[in-house]
Amino acid sequence: MSTMETLSRVRKNLEKEKKYIETFISSGSCETMEDYRLQVGTIRGLDEAQKIITETLSQLDKEEE
């Protein structure tokens, strides 16, 4: 498996985890405001990780051309 394929899989897995947490929040499963903030912070971290992976994939794509 190439680096680009691996990073793409990681990005997809991060998206799945983000959607799971979003469903957790929207279903009312957060019992406290602290829990809610933790979950939102996790989503923000996953978004940032996806952004970094997307930028890396773009750079790798340019290098291959």
Side-chain angles (χ1 to χ4, degrees):
M1 183 179 305
S2 73
T3 302
M4 290 184 74
E5 290 171 335
T6 302
L7 288 174
S8 292
R9 279 189 175 185
V10 170
R11 186 175 57 180
K12 286 179 185 177
N13 287 337
L14 292 173
E15 184 64 28
K16 285 179 187 177
E17 184 65 20
K18 189 173 93 170
K19 288 188 184 296
Y20 172 80
I21 294 170
E22 288 170 347
T23 301
F24 178 83
I25 291 172
S26 65
S27 69
S29 296
C30 292
E31 295 181 8
T32 64
M33 186 56 117
E34 183 179 322
D35 187 29
Y36 172 79
R37 287 182 182 143
L38 174 67
Q39 300 304 325
V40 170
T42 301
I43 289 172
R44 287 183 180 167
L46 293 171
D47 280 339
E48 193 62 31
Q50 285 180 296
K51 180 180 172 185
I52 291 167
I53 290 171
T54 299
E55 290 170 0
T56 302
L57 284 169
S58 178
Q59 290 172 355
L60 287 172
D61 192 40
K62 287 178 185 176
E63 289 175 9
E64 287 185 0
E65 291 178 358

